[in-house]
């Protein structure tokens, strides 16, 4: 078993204990590695956990998750995208330019209307 597979297995096993920052950082890291994600099971677990915590997300975590979706070209989580967009609108006053850019870029890359 590869090192990467063991790391991914461990992350999936502890996903339920991760906070929004943990999840968004893992998705960001996966998205910077390559497209599609190097471990689809891990990415799916992180997207699932992001959905469970959507109402706790801050601008940076939402933007990281949405950016990862766009980077992966992942249209399999459009329900999560809608939930995160609703959360983003509820805290829009907290957004800085970088987070706004990623929030718009992710859906645009997927061909999804913002």
């Amino acid at each position: 078993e590869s090192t990467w597979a063991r790391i991914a297995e461990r992350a999936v096993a502890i996903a339920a204990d991760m906070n929004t920052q943990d999840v968004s950082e893992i998705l960001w890291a996966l998205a910077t590695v390559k497209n599609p994600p190097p471990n689809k099971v891990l990415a799916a677990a992180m997207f699932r956990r992001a959905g469970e915590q959507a109402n706790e997300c801050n601008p940076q975590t939402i933007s990281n998750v949405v950016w990862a979706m766009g980077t992966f070209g992942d249209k399999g989580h459009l329900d999560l995208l809608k939930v995160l967009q609703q959360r983003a609108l509820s805290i829009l006053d907290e957004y800085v330019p970088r987070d706004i850019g990623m929030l718009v870029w992710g859906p645009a890359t997927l061909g999804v209307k913002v």
Side-chain angles (χ1 to χ4, degrees), residues 32-76:
T32 60
V33 173
K34 68 178 191 175
N35 180 10
N39 188 301
K40 291 182 181 185
V41 172
L42 176 54
M46 294 301 100
F47 283 131
R48 189 170 37 256
R49 185 66 179 145
E52 292 168 357
Q53 298 180 317
N55 287 331
E56 299 170 32
C57 287
N58 64 39
Q60 182 183 11
T61 59
I62 292 170
S63 298
N64 284 349
V65 173
V66 171
W67 177 82
M69 283 181 191
T71 300
F72 295 151
D74 187 345
K75 290 188 177 183

Side-chain angles (χ1 to χ4, degrees), residues 7-45:
I7 291 168
E9 184 179 295
R10 175 64 180 150
V12 169
I14 62 172
D17 296 326
M18 293 183 186
N19 64 34
T20 60
Q21 190 69 36
D22 299 331
V23 170
S24 75
E25 287 175 359
I26 289 172
L27 283 169
W28 176 86
L30 290 173
T32 60
V33 173
K34 68 178 191 175
N35 180 10
N39 188 301
K40 291 182 181 185
V41 172
L42 176 54

Side-chain angles (χ1 to χ4, degrees), residues 70-82:
T71 300
F72 295 151
D74 187 345
K75 290 188 177 183
H77 300 281
L78 294 181
D79 288 343
L80 173 58
L81 178 60
K82 288 178 187 176

